[in-house]
Amino acid sequence: MRRRTRGAAALAAAALALAGCSAADPGAGPEAPAGSYAVMGDWLGCEVFGDFAELQTRLGATGIDGDLQSTPIGEGIDAESAGCAALLDLAVFEDVQGTFAYSAAGDAAVRGGLAPWNDEAEAEANFADRVAQRRENAAGIAYTGETEGELGGEWDKSLYIAADTEQRYYLDAYGRKGDWVVYLSLDFLHDPGVSAYESAPEFYPDASAESMAVYPFTTESLVAWITGEHLPQIQTEILQRAESEAGQ
């Protein structure tokens, strides 16, 4: 499989997203694969992210809604990357007030991807494209309280953007190391226990938002772990696997 050009890949990814389907990458151009793409071009996305096992543990996920969606480069809505996506079930808040029973379940959506390229210039341009798309916010999501920062570890370029909305919290993180780019996007419903307290604190005079939380994490601790520990560890594992396979 040869690597398509950046422009062709972006157009193909957009077309796949609009069509709601996937197609194999036929390749374009006479050059043989080079750089990290020559090593990582046939990797599957969920292999790169360990089936999100560590993330599921950190989120306290109770299950996966459906199946993990693991795709190689050339397939899925982001044909430039080997992707992994999942919808996760999170903790449930339950309460009884007199004859009224209330239950609300948390949930999260996560997508990660590894985009290897033929050289650093391609990877640098792809990193910039991805960050620009996030900043443009074409979906028109009403973000509030946005914060930005760099990832922990050693990257040539990195950025994360965390932001709240009325019902969900969003985290988008991007890192470039040499001629490959990795990203992780996560959004999750506000803690249903905290939401119950904040919507009717008079029902819980002896409680607090913190005491009624059902998630085993706070937003701040989760963002710190993903950006400061999890993605640097993913980077290490990518580099170790690439080195091992390149030497075979």
Side-chain angles (χ1 to χ4, degrees):
M1 180 192 295
R2 301 192 204 103
R3 192 62 189 269
R4 68 172 89 212
T5 63
R6 277 184 57 248
L11 290 173
L16 290 172
L18 291 173
C21 61
S22 63
D25 181 5
E31 298 85 3
S36 62
Y37 181 67
V39 178
M40 306 175 187
D42 60 353
W43 291 9
L44 289 175
C46 287
E47 293 176 352
V48 175
F49 292 91
D51 293 339
F52 295 139
E54 290 187 14
L55 182 59
Q56 290 186 63
T57 298
R58 182 67 55 155
L59 292 170
T62 59
I64 299 174
D65 185 358
D67 298 311
L68 283 170
Q69 302 297 313
S70 187
T71 55
I73 293 170
E75 297 185 10
I77 63 173
D78 181 2
E80 295 175 333
S81 71
C84 187
L87 299 176
L88 305 177
D89 299 322
L90 302 186
V92 177
F93 173 76
E94 296 179 314
D95 184 40
V96 177
Q97 294 286 339
T99 60
F100 176 73
Y102 174 78
S103 176
D107 68 78
V110 58
R111 170 172 288 279
L114 169 67
W117 295 91
N118 295 300
D119 56 49
E120 289 194 21
E122 289 183 342
E124 185 175 1
N126 185 249
F127 177 91
D129 286 347
R130 292 179 184 277
V131 170
Q133 289 174 12
R134 168 60 182 83
R135 294 198 190 284
E136 289 167 4
N137 186 19
I141 299 174
Y143 294 119
T144 61
E146 286 194 1
T147 60
E148 298 185 7
E150 295 182 349
L151 304 180
E154 297 182 2
W155 302 86
D156 295 304
K157 202 81 171 180
S158 71
L159 175 73
Y160 74 84
I161 304 176
D164 207 357
T165 66
E166 184 177 356
Q167 294 185 327
R168 305 185 72 82
Y169 196 87
Y170 290 78
L171 173 64
D172 296 286
Y174 313 88
R176 179 179 73 83
K177 183 69 173 177
D179 56 3
W180 55 267
V181 174
V182 69
Y183 69 88
L184 184 68
S185 294
L186 170 72
D187 64 88
F188 55 88
L189 189 70
H190 290 168
D191 187 302
V194 173
S195 295
Y197 175 82
E198 292 178 342
S199 64
E202 66 275 13
F203 290 163
Y204 309 100
D206 299 323
S208 65
E210 182 179 0
S211 68
M212 289 182 59
V214 294
Y215 289 168
F217 62 90
T218 64
T219 297
E220 293 77 12
S221 67
L222 181 65
V223 170
W225 175 76
I226 289 176
T227 61
E229 298 181 43
H230 186 53
L231 283 173
Q233 180 60 36
I234 294 292
Q235 180 202 74
T236 297
E237 293 169 359
I238 291 171
L239 292 171
Q240 290 174 344
R241 179 178 173 185
E243 181 180 3
S244 174
E245 294 189 8
Q248 293 178 359

